[in-house]
Amino acid sequence: MASLDSVSIAVFLGAALVMAGILSSLLALRFGAPLLLVFLLIGMLAGDSGPGRLQFDDVRTTYLVGSVALALILFDGGLKTRFQSIRTVLAPSMVLATIGVLLTALITAPVAKYALDLNWTEASLVGAVVASTDAAAVFLLVHTQGLRLRPRVGATLEAESGTNDPFAIFLTLMLVEYISSGESSLAHIVLEFAREALLGAVVGVIGGRLVVLALNRVALPQGLHAPFVTTAALVIFGAAQIAHASGFLAVYLAGIIIGNRPTRAHNSVVTFLDAATWLAQIVMFVLLGLLVSPHRLLGSAGPAVIVAFALMLVARPVAVFLCLAPFKFNWREKVFIAWTGLRGAVAIFLASIPMLVGLSKAYLYFDVAFVVVIISLLLQGWTLAPAARRLHVALPRAERGPRRVELDLPGQLEQQLVGYPVRAKSLYFRRGLIPSWSKPTLVIRDERILTPTEADPVAAGDYIYLLAPPEKAEALDRFFVDMAPSTAPDPHMLGDFVVLGEHTLGELAEIYGVAVAEDQAKLTLADYFDIHLDYAPKEGAELVLDPIVLVARSIGGGRVNVVGLRLPEDEEETVPLTRAQKFKRKLAEIWSSVAGV
């Protein structure tokens, strides 16, 4: 009975710790504290040096839980990554994720050697442990602080943080192996990395394709799609690790492929994984906090602080500026990307590997990584939003999206039912606009279900349901939020090659001789973009209005407010592509074919 009681107590305490972590997130959000830091502190307070007095030193369990948690976090990040948003920044992201991690480790190593009195191999291990940015920290802090980053900056950070963990893990394992056995060579390291990366990519792509096939072909009972995808992600991760490939790279690529293909129950899968990822992060950080000994930290805190500041202020910025030099990033964007090199659970997780294999000074690596993470979350995490605004890489905050309901329709994958409450100030209610690719299907009014014809005209407070392709459902949001106040059109701008979005197609037709259908003459240019674009308007978006091409020059309140006109005679002659451009285009085509996007 005593053993049963001990199990019950362990279950109770574990659940209580996780619940404390969940409830503490509300307090952290209120005061802007980095949530990951809160979870770590919960673990420390529950540990043997805190009021909780829990004795926990099981590194093997921590490593197992950390591996599962990181796999789920990376899979969830890949699942939410739209390939269209990152394809233009793949090159800089991959350079940062590989060469950037290596440079960061190499620049940090000399500081660690002299600050911590280590040899060069041990100092390099410290550099490798803290070199990678943490996907969970970047995704979570950017989202919880309500930041809307410039598309190129946000996509670069997203792709880099999602793909640099495999390289950092590889570096750490290679250095641990070298310290343990004392035998390794540069050729061996290069071959091992190539094998792990290639096999990981193959396992990820094949695994992702198989999951898509199974989701769409196997008639699973309702509610089992999300658990199936989650366990499939762990199967892909485990299979890659058993094959001595990069499981973390495999699971991230599998997430990208699944997220960019039409599948059944996509929304329930994403919702389930959001909850699973939150829980995984909380459990992982609490366990890592339990392993920390504040008394032991005191001995290495000073040198660890030096390593942390050298990493944040020297190593990461130098690596970012060198890696992004060939690409067209301005200095503000480079500074922000350098400052957003957040360290999180990955660093502490990697530092547990030397403890797991029993290296000498293993606890020193762990303590240094812990101090680096604490300082990174405090300084970089708390200043992320102000830095984005001061460096002008943050876009104005979008209004909180409407309550969107998405329902999958059995038997097909092309359409789903999307529902919204109709607001009195919404674009749909005021202007009657709806994209050409969506179709109103039913309206709910006063608890009655009506057809669109019976409900015409739609009233404020109604609920409307539309058929729309799943990949475009989010683009409907802008039609059901309150419209931003528009400025009065400037008559002097009409007649130039840039016009305001409030001018109508009829006005454009009179001046430029464009043929416009009579029923569209009263549409404004902003309306024309809203109806015909498959996504929310962005700067540079183009639409053809024969023989003119309309180009979105400025966006305000989610709508196009300034439109550029590209006339036929303005079109430039086609410039032959260079070999490098042809090669890049061919690579993009191959990836699109493989990923199915």
Side-chain angles (χ1 to χ4, degrees):
M1 293 299 293
S3 60
L4 291 178
D5 288 341
S6 65
V7 171
S8 301
I9 292 171
V11 171
F12 171 77
L13 291 176
L17 279 177
V18 174
M19 184 179 291
I22 294 171
L23 294 176
S24 66
S25 65
L26 300 174
L27 186 66
L29 284 172
R30 182 178 180 86
F31 294 101
L35 291 179
L36 308 181
L37 177 60
V38 174
F39 301 151
L40 277 176
L41 292 178
I42 292 289
M44 289 180 65
L45 291 173
D48 57 359
S49 299
R53 299 293 179 185
L54 285 179
Q55 299 290 331
F56 182 82
D57 57 0
D58 192 343
V59 180
R60 186 176 297 277
T61 298
T62 304
Y63 182 80
L64 174 63
V65 172
S67 297
V68 171
L70 283 179
L72 288 179
I73 290 167
L74 287 172
F75 181 75
D76 185 54
L79 198 67
K80 295 176 181 175
T81 299
R82 299 273 72 82
F83 183 69
Q84 289 81 357
S85 67
I86 66 167
R87 64 190 308 168
T88 57
V89 296
L90 275 180
S93 300
M94 294 305 102
V95 172
L96 283 173
T98 51
I99 299 174
V101 170
L102 182 61
L103 287 175
T104 303
L106 291 176
I107 297 171
T108 306
V111 179
K113 171 179 166 56
Y114 294 107
L116 298 165
D117 192 22
L118 303 172
N119 62 41
W120 280 110
T121 308
E122 294 168 338
S124 299
L125 179 56
V126 172
V129 163
V130 299
S132 72
T133 59
D134 185 77
V138 172
F139 294 156
L140 192 61
L141 287 174
V142 168
H143 293 155
T144 54
Q145 295 191 14
L147 279 178
R148 288 181 65 232
L149 301 176
R150 293 191 178 278
R152 182 171 63 166
V153 175
T156 301
L157 287 170
E158 183 179 345
E160 181 218 357
S161 61
T163 54
N164 67 2
D165 291 343
F167 189 66
I169 292 168
F170 169 78
L171 276 182
T172 302
L173 291 174
M174 285 294 101
L175 287 167
V176 168
E177 180 185 341
Y178 180 76
I179 293 173
S180 301
S181 63
E183 296 180 3
S184 190
S185 65
L186 181 60
H188 171 70
I189 292 174
V190 172
L191 286 174
E192 277 292 308
F193 173 69
R195 184 176 63 82
E196 286 200 14
L198 183 60
L199 277 179
V202 169
V203 172
V205 170
I206 294 176
R209 288 286 192 141
L210 289 176
V211 172
V212 171
L213 190 66
L215 272 177
N216 294 337
R217 297 288 180 87
V218 180
L220 291 172
Q222 188 70 23
L224 287 185
H225 297 89
F228 170 77
V229 173
T230 305
T231 51
L234 296 179
V235 168
I236 292 170
F237 171 74
Q241 293 290 92
I242 291 172
H244 298 287
S246 174
F248 296 101
L249 177 61
V251 81
Y252 182 70
L253 288 177
I256 290 178
I257 289 172
I258 297 169
N260 285 275
R261 298 278 291 177
T263 58
R264 297 185 192 279
H266 176 78
N267 304 309
S268 62
V269 169
V270 171
T271 303
F272 182 87
L273 267 166
D274 278 343
T277 302
W278 262 101
L279 185 62
Q281 288 181 103
I282 292 173
V283 172
M284 177 172 59
F285 274 82
V286 169
L287 284 181
L288 291 171
L290 284 171
L291 282 178
V292 175
S293 172
H295 299 302
R296 195 181 65 236
L297 276 176
L298 293 177
S300 55
V305 170
I306 296 174
V307 172
F309 278 98
L311 173 69
M312 290 189 299
L313 302 179
V314 181
R316 168 72 178 178
V318 169
V320 168
F321 273 77
L322 288 176
C323 289
L324 296 184
F327 307 101
K328 296 180 180 179
F329 286 83
N330 61 47
W331 70 270
R332 295 176 184 274
E333 293 171 332
K334 291 177 183 176
V335 169
F336 182 76
I337 291 172
W339 189 244
T340 316
L342 291 158
R343 269 62 194 172
V346 174
I348 307 176
F349 168 73
L350 292 180
S352 69
I353 295 175
M355 296 169 63
L356 185 64
V357 300
L359 288 187
S360 61
K361 303 180 183 178
Y363 279 100
L364 178 63
Y365 305 132
F366 188 88
D367 294 343
V368 170
F370 188 84
V371 172
V372 168
V373 169
I374 292 290
I375 293 177
S376 176
L377 291 177
L378 282 174
L379 288 184
Q380 295 174 303
W382 235 312
T383 59
L384 204 60
R389 297 186 188 102
R390 291 292 297 270
L391 292 168
H392 306 295
V393 298
L395 299 174
R397 287 189 181 185
E399 184 180 352
R400 182 176 294 178
R403 290 177 295 156
R404 181 176 71 243
V405 177
E406 298 181 32
L407 303 173
D408 293 302
L409 301 176
Q412 57 82 53
L413 300 172
E414 290 74 26
Q415 299 283 322
Q416 67 179 7
L417 208 56
V418 187
Y420 293 94
V422 178
R423 298 186 186 182
K425 296 181 180 179
S426 66
L427 185 62
Y428 173 73
F429 181 74
R430 290 215 172 165
R431 309 290 288 274
L433 296 179
I434 210 71
S436 57
W437 40 262
S438 66
K439 179 183 178 182
T441 304
L442 60 91
V443 176
I444 298 178
R445 177 185 298 162
D446 299 328
E447 300 185 3
R448 292 182 298 134
I449 298 177
L450 308 172
T451 66
T453 304
E454 292 171 338
D456 190 37
V458 173
D462 288 351
Y463 284 81
I464 185 168
Y465 286 81
L466 311 97
L467 286 175
E471 67 274 9
K472 298 179 182 178
E474 190 175 345
L476 281 170
D477 288 359
R478 67 185 190 275
F479 294 88
F480 295 94
V481 296
D482 292 343
M483 291 177 62
S486 58
T487 56
D490 182 358
H492 297 291
M493 291 193 73
L494 195 63
D496 197 349
F497 292 104
V498 176
V499 298
L500 293 182
E502 292 301 314
H503 289 297
T504 65
L505 295 181
E507 292 173 311
L508 205 66
E510 289 180 10
I511 293 179
Y512 292 102
V514 180
V516 175
E518 186 176 346
D519 60 340
Q520 292 194 334
K522 293 184 179 180
L523 287 178
T524 66
L525 296 176
D527 296 342
Y528 190 73
F529 272 92
D530 282 328
I531 292 173
H532 293 287
L533 278 183
D534 292 345
Y535 49 85
K538 299 177 181 178
E539 289 185 15
E542 297 182 0
L543 284 177
V544 176
L545 184 66
D546 286 335
I548 291 175
V549 177
L550 306 178
V551 184
R553 288 288 182 84
S554 176
I555 308 295
R559 304 194 75 203
V560 178
N561 53 25
V562 177
V563 178
L565 309 180
R566 195 161 69 222
L567 305 182
E569 57 268 26
D570 293 333
E571 295 181 357
E572 298 178 357
E573 294 182 3
T574 304
V575 179
L577 296 177
T578 64
R579 287 185 178 179
Q581 290 171 327
K582 289 179 180 177
F583 180 69
K584 287 173 65 177
R585 177 173 292 183
K586 188 65 177 176
L587 284 180
E589 290 174 357
I590 293 172
W591 170 253
S592 297
S593 174
V594 171
V597 295

